[in-house]
Amino acid sequence: MTTDVVELILADHRRMEELFRTLRDRGADRAKALDELAYLLVAHAEAEEAKVYPALRRYKQVDDDEIDHGAEEHTEGNMALLALMEVEDTESDEWEGKLEELVTAINHHLDEEERTILNDARETVSDERRAELGEQFAAERERRVDAGCGTVEYVRELVERTKDRVD
C-alpha cells in the first residue's frame, strides 16, 4: 500500500464517490453508508487541514489561495453533511434533496482539489516528502476517526466552529 499523500487522498475521494452511489440506492442501508461517509469525510478534511495543507503552503508552485479555498469548501461540505444527518427519514424527499446538495458540494471540491492542489503537489513535492506527508495524513485521519469525528454532535460543533470561513 502506498504512503504517497496524493494517492491516499485520491483513494479517499474514490471511496466517497462509491458511498454517494450507495446513498442514492433506495435499497441500500443508507444510514450505515452515511455513517461511514461522515467519519471518512470529516477525518479526511481535518487531516488535510492539520497535516497536508500547512506543509503544501511552503511550496511556491502550490497556490495558497487554492489551499484557503479548499478549507472553505471543507466547511461547505460539513454544513451539507450536517443538514443530511439531521434528516431522520432516509426515504423522504427532504433526505433526497439534502443528499444531492451534499454530493454536489463534495464533488465540486474533489474536482477542484484534484485539478489544483493535488496536481501541483504531484509536480513540485518530492516523492520522499509526499510519503512523509502521507504517513502523517493517514495517522491524523485515523486519530480523528478514533476520536468520534463522524457523530452528528461533532459535525454540528465543527460547523459552528468553522462557519465563519464561508462567505
Side-chain angles (χ1 to χ4, degrees):
M1 184 173 148
T2 183
T3 60
D4 182 316
V5 70
V6 173
E7 297 305 317
L8 291 174
I9 290 171
L10 290 173
D12 280 0
H13 289 181
R14 301 297 78 82
R15 180 65 187 144
M16 289 174 204
E17 292 166 347
E18 290 171 13
L19 289 166
F20 290 153
R21 285 189 287 280
T22 301
L23 288 165
R24 285 178 164 150
D25 180 355
R26 289 183 180 264
D29 185 344
R30 290 171 148 185
K32 181 180 176 187
L34 181 57
D35 185 61
E36 181 182 342
L37 177 68
Y39 275 90
L40 175 60
L41 188 61
V42 173
H44 173 95
E46 289 191 317
E48 281 182 339
E49 290 180 32
K51 300 298 180 181
V52 180
Y53 285 5
L56 293 181
R57 285 187 188 282
R58 297 185 193 110
Y59 291 87
K60 292 178 182 158
Q61 305 304 334
V62 178
D63 189 332
D64 283 354
D65 290 338
E66 289 298 335
I67 291 172
D68 292 339
H69 184 65
E72 288 173 22
E73 289 182 343
H74 287 164
T75 296
E76 291 169 353
N78 290 335
M79 293 169 82
L81 174 64
L82 179 60
L84 180 61
M85 292 173 84
E86 290 179 334
V87 178
E88 292 182 22
D89 183 0
T90 61
E91 299 299 317
S92 69
D93 289 341
E94 180 185 14
W95 199 90
E96 295 288 340
K98 297 296 183 191
L99 173 60
E100 289 313 309
E101 290 172 18
L102 174 63
V103 169
T104 298
I106 299 302
N107 280 340
H108 170 82
H109 171 68
L110 301 184
D111 177 59
E112 277 192 357
E113 185 175 70
E114 289 175 16
R115 284 185 296 108
T116 59
I117 296 169
L118 297 182
N119 277 342
D120 291 348
R122 187 179 278 131
E123 293 172 8
T124 63
V125 179
S126 72
D127 292 349
E128 180 179 281
R129 183 64 178 132
R130 286 197 323 266
E132 290 170 2
L133 285 174
E135 290 172 10
Q136 293 171 14
F137 169 79
E140 183 67 15
R141 183 184 56 198
E142 188 64 30
R143 188 181 76 73
R144 302 286 177 146
V145 167
D146 291 346
C149 70
T151 65
V152 69
E153 295 81 14
Y154 184 84
V155 175
R156 194 175 288 126
E157 185 271 322
L158 178 62
V159 166
E160 186 61 33
R161 186 169 20 107
T162 61
K163 67 183 179 185
D164 62 323
R165 290 180 182 169
V166 181
D167 298 331

